Amino acid sequence: MAVEGGMKFVKYVLFFFNFISLLCGLALIVVGIVVQVSVHKSFQILDASASAGPILLIVVGLLTFFIAFFGCCGAWKENHCMVATFSFFLSLVVIAEIAAVVLGYVYRDKVKTMIEKNLSEMITNYKSGSQELKETVDKLQTTLKCCGDQNSTDWKNYGDDGKTVPDSCCIEVKLGCGNGTMTNSTIVYQQGCRDVMVKMLKKYAQWLIIAAIIVAVLQLLGIVFACLLMRGIRGGYEVM
């Protein structure tokens, strides 16, 4: 009876774990899609590396969702084959996540380079670019409270006088507020968008690392409970 009770406990814990993982998979898919859309709205200059992170999130989310669904069915039906398959694929996901973290650390400077390249090109093409590009730059500067790439002087070629910036650089955005006010810190933001974005990404990266560690620990626990359930199922078959 004690063994049977233990088996039921392991089964329900594994089922609950997989249900949570299923929800996490859906969350990753949604976050990946939102980030992908945001990246392409923020950076009009096409860069394949800009989509690498969001696409990876979507792929991991899909894998997590289907593996968790498979694990739920296997745990509920106490099917040895399904639980074994779940444990195998979950182990692959953990290995892939570790590899992704290592690659993310190795190529961390590439993100900064991508930001620098895209911001510089967006500012250079602002006057001759599309309306969509202008709206993107304006929204970026207004939202992040910044001006230019490194600082407000990056807009020196924007106006004929060399002292004019887009109105979106202004602390209080008004029509014509950027005319001749490039270095006026009481009217125009002096900090460049590059530093603001890098700081923001570093902050988000810290939370992502913490979340990744928590998810990895939960997944390892899932593998342990899956192995315990397989052992219990196998033992049950042998008794029968």
Side-chain angles (χ1 to χ4, degrees), residues 17-91:
F17 162 80
N18 281 296
F19 181 74
I20 297 299
S21 296
L22 191 145
L23 295 178
C24 288
L26 284 175
L28 284 174
I29 295 170
V30 172
V31 170
I33 293 172
V34 170
V35 172
Q36 175 72 353
V37 173
S38 299
V39 163
H40 282 283
K41 281 186 176 180
S42 298
F43 297 119
Q44 298 298 316
I45 310 300
L46 294 178
D47 190 332
S49 61
S51 299
I55 290 174
L56 181 62
L57 277 178
I58 295 171
V59 171
V60 171
L62 287 170
L63 287 174
T64 302
F65 178 83
F66 286 113
I67 292 172
F69 181 77
F70 205 77
C72 281
C73 295
W76 191 256
K77 293 183 178 181
E78 297 185 17
N79 186 295
H80 183 275
C81 181
M82 293 181 74
V83 175
T85 303
F86 158 77
S87 180
F88 172 74
F89 281 110
L90 188 60
S91 300

Side-chain angles (χ1 to χ4, degrees), residues 42-43 115 119 140 144 146 192-202:
S42 298
F43 297 119
I115 291 174
L119 279 175
L140 185 69
L144 298 182
C146 57
C193 295
R194 178 197 302 184
D195 291 337
V196 177
M197 292 191 71
V198 170
K199 288 178 183 177
M200 183 178 67
L201 288 173
K202 283 182 178 180

Side-chain angles (χ1 to χ4, degrees), residues 126-175:
Y126 184 84
K127 288 182 70 174
S128 59
S130 64
Q131 183 62 31
E132 186 180 10
L133 174 61
K134 293 177 181 178
E135 290 175 356
T136 298
V137 175
D138 289 338
K139 184 177 180 181
L140 185 69
Q141 294 187 140
T142 303
T143 303
L144 298 182
K145 298 181 179 179
C146 57
C147 185
D149 179 12
Q150 299 185 62
N151 51 59
S152 61
T153 59
D154 291 324
W155 291 105
K156 59 183 178 293
N157 296 322
Y158 175 68
D160 295 333
D161 59 356
K163 298 179 181 179
T164 296
V165 296
D167 293 341
S168 57
C169 280
C170 297
I171 297 173
E172 292 184 15
V173 180
K174 298 177 182 178
L175 184 62

